[in-house]
Every structure is written in structure tokens, then in C-alpha cells.
Amino acid sequence: MPQNKFVMITGSTSGIGFELAKLFAKDNYDVAMSGSSEKIYESAKEIEELGVEAYPFQADASTYEGVEAFWKFVEGKNRKLHAAVLNVGVSLGGAFMDNDLEEELKLIDINISGTVHTAKRVVNHMVPNGEGNILIVSSLSATLPTPYETVYGPSKAFGFMFAEALREELKDTGVNVTAMLPGATNTDFHHNAGMDSTYFGDDSIKNEKTEVAKQGYDALMNGLDHIICGDEETKQQAEENKRTPEPVKAANHAKKAKPQEQGD
Ligand SMILES: NC(=O)c1ccc[n+]([C@@H]2O[C@H](COP(=O)([O-])OP(=O)(O)OC[C@H]3O[C@@H](n4cnc5c(N)ncnc54)[C@H](OP(=O)(O)O)[C@@H]3O)[C@@H](O)[C@H]2O)c1
């Protein structure tokens, strides 16, 4: 029996990361999984039921130590890493002038610093092997200003352009980099961002997380530079965003993301 391939997925306790873990497992990848809660151990058991090894690790991705600890855990398996999904990410709803600076800096630590940190370790592991697949989870929010999630959209724009830049640098190394840009998706994400009272509090307007994850997975396996994930409307929105001036996109997003108690 040939040994399974090996993937690491950050933020895979639930949501899109967990759906991606299932897809890799179904393709016989063993999966190293991280999350900040104890539930990561239960999630890993569910992945093992698909017939692969799952290695759960509980660590806080908002700290340098937490990010490094997960990498050391992965490296400690002494296996070639075939794929890495840099998925962990959070948003923060509310007006910039009201939000805690600490919460905003934590978002930047998770979405930007943690992504760069993990990518550094993964790239330095994969390039000498001459192969590897890196999926960076950005967002449709990378293509517009996101008032009332003021810091989130820019953090995802970073992820998108970081992925495209890295892809170009690594094009002759055998290591592929793909960015995944989901539209609003039915996970706990907006609830965790304190956005229940907004348009995004309604799951019925969102994309199905299984479909979003499948589109991202297929794009990675086909070596695409990036993919907009979601239904036709989401893909059309991305096209429109290329032609729409920033102030118009900002005003549209503000209507959707403004907490209702502050609404017009
Ligand atoms: N849902 C959307 O509408 C949407 C749209 C576009 C892009 N995205 C992007 O998709 C990615 C995944 O989002 P999601 O929708 O799946 O969100 P989610 O349902 O809130 O899941 C977030 C995941 O990250 C983990 N996590 C959160 N904070 C962490 C921390 N400090 N340290 C370690 N792990 C942490 C969670 O595990 P624990 O609970 O164990 O901490 C969970 O597995 C994010 O990068 C997000 O920006 C989401």
C-alpha cells in the first residue's frame, strides 16, 4: 500500500476548513488540523472515520507561538507535506471608531501575520522537495472596501495579492499557489464576527459551504491562480466589482454590514 499524501489545514475545526479537510480525506490525504478550541479533537475523529489519519492540534493562530507550535507539530510528523491550506481567518463587525483596537490587531495577527508566518515555513519545506500545493483562503471581500468590517476586507486583499505574488515567484519550483475567494458562506463566521443583526446574519442568502470548499479544492488541484467560490450570483458580483468604483462598492457593502441598531 502506498503511503497517503499529507496536508495541513489551519482553522479546520469547523466551517470551510473542515469541509476542505473532508475533501482531502476522501482523496486519501492524512490531515493535520488546527483550531483554538477543544472541538478540534472531535473534528479530527470525524475525519478519521473517512479512513485516513487525522492529527489535531489546539493552538491560538493569533499568536506567533501558536502559529509556530502548529508548524512544529506538522514538521514533527517527519513526512513530506504535499498540500497546505492557509484557511484560518476572522472578521470583526461594527464601526471602526467603536471597535477595540486590540480586536482589530488580533484580526491582523490571524489573517495577515499568521498567513505570512505559516507560508514561510511551508514554502521552505516544499521548495526543496520540488512539489507542493498551497491554498490561501482569501474572500470576495478582497475585491471591495468593506465598511463595518473595516479591517477585514483589506486583510483579505492582502491574502489574495500575497498568493498571486508567491505563485509567480514559485512558478519554476514545482510548488503551486492558489487563492480561494468565497462569497458569503453558511458557516459560523459572521456570527463569530458579531454580525447577527446585519444582512449577513441571514444564512439563507449565503453560499453552501460544501460547494464553496469543493470549488476551492478543484481549483487547487487544477493549479488555477485563483477562484471565486459560490453560486453564479457570487461569480457575477466578482465581475461587477472589477468595473464598479470603490465608493459605490463601499456604499453597497455598508448597507449590508452596518449593525441594524445603527441603521438608517
Ligand atoms: N464564511 C464566509 O462568509 C467567508 C467568506 C469569504 C471568506 N471566508 C474565509 O474563509 C476562512 C474560513 O472561514 P469560515 O467561514 O470557515 O469561518 P468559521 O466557521 O468561523 O471557522 C473558523 C475556523 O478557524 C478556527 N479559528 C478561529 N479563530 C482561531 C484562532 N484564534 N486560532 C486558531 N483557530 C482559529 C476555528 O476553529 P476553533 O473554533 O477551534 O477556533 C474554525 O475552524 C476565513 O479565512 C474567512 O476569512 C469566509
Side-chain angles (χ1 to χ4, degrees):
M1 276 282 280
Q3 203 184 31
N4 284 350
K5 289 188 173 180
F6 185 36
V7 59
M8 65 178 277
I9 308 178
T10 65
S12 42
T13 306
S14 58
I16 295 169
F18 183 61
E19 295 307 319
L20 284 162
K22 286 193 224 166
L23 292 167
F24 277 100
K26 282 176 189 157
D27 273 350
N28 299 314
Y29 280 76
D30 294 332
V31 191
M33 305 169 64
S34 74
S36 68
S37 69
E38 280 186 8
K39 193 167 175 272
I40 190 68
Y41 299 105
E42 274 172 50
S43 304
K45 276 190 194 136
E46 281 188 52
I47 295 301
E48 289 204 319
E49 281 165 17
L50 298 171
V52 298
E53 293 290 329
Y55 309 109
F57 192 78
Q58 191 182 357
D60 182 358
S62 73
T63 67
Y64 183 95
E65 295 72 25
V67 174
E68 188 66 14
F70 182 47
W71 171 253
K72 291 280 178 219
F73 175 77
V74 170
E75 204 181 28
K77 299 296 167 202
N78 289 317
R79 293 180 60 170
K80 183 195 274 190
L81 191 61
H82 298 86
V85 182
L86 281 54
N87 164 74
V88 64
V90 296
S91 186
L92 178 66
F96 181 72
M97 70 174 286
D98 298 333
N99 282 342
D100 282 345
L101 177 60
E102 263 184 32
E103 288 296 306
E104 288 161 339
L105 295 179
K106 185 174 173 183
L107 182 158
I108 291 169
D109 287 338
I110 295 173
N111 296 7
I112 301 182
S113 303
T115 299
V116 173
H117 185 160
T118 305
K120 178 71 74 180
R121 302 298 182 232
V122 166
V123 166
N124 281 318
H125 172 95
M126 286 180 174
V127 170
N129 292 337
E131 67 169 312
N133 241 341
I134 301 173
L135 183 63
I136 295 183
V137 183
S138 171
S139 170
L140 184 62
S141 292
T143 66
L144 69 155
T146 55
Y148 301 100
E149 294 179 274
T150 335
V151 184
Y152 175 70
S155 78
K156 291 281 129 176
F158 175 87
F160 182 20
M161 288 303 132
F162 177 66
E164 294 281 1
L166 204 49
R167 174 186 178 83
E168 172 64 21
E169 283 185 38
L170 300 183
K171 68 182 178 194
D172 299 323
T173 66
V175 178
N176 168 63
V177 184
T178 298
M180 163 174 176
L181 281 65
T185 304
N186 66 347
T187 68
D188 295 336
F189 179 77
H190 292 101
H191 173 73
N192 293 339
M195 296 179 73
D196 284 346
S197 77
T198 73
Y199 167 84
F200 295 107
D202 176 4
D203 261 358
S204 71
I205 56 101
K206 296 183 191 172
N207 291 291
E208 181 52 50
K209 63 189 171 192
T210 49
E211 189 191 353
V212 164
K214 180 78 171 85
Q215 290 179 10
Y217 184 79
D218 289 346
L220 179 72
M221 293 306 162
N222 288 312
L224 302 191
D225 71 302
H226 78 275
I227 177 97
I228 305 293
C229 299
D231 58 13
E232 263 322 297
E233 203 183 318
T234 303
K235 291 174 198 291
Q236 273 172 23
Q237 191 63 59
E239 282 307 307
E240 268 174 43
N241 285 349
K242 290 180 188 165
R243 306 185 284 269
T244 308
E246 264 52 45
V248 175
K249 289 187 282 189
N252 286 340
H253 190 82
K255 279 187 208 138
K256 292 178 178 170
K258 196 170 182 178
Q260 231 151 54
E261 53 273 19
Q262 296 175 14
D264 297 321

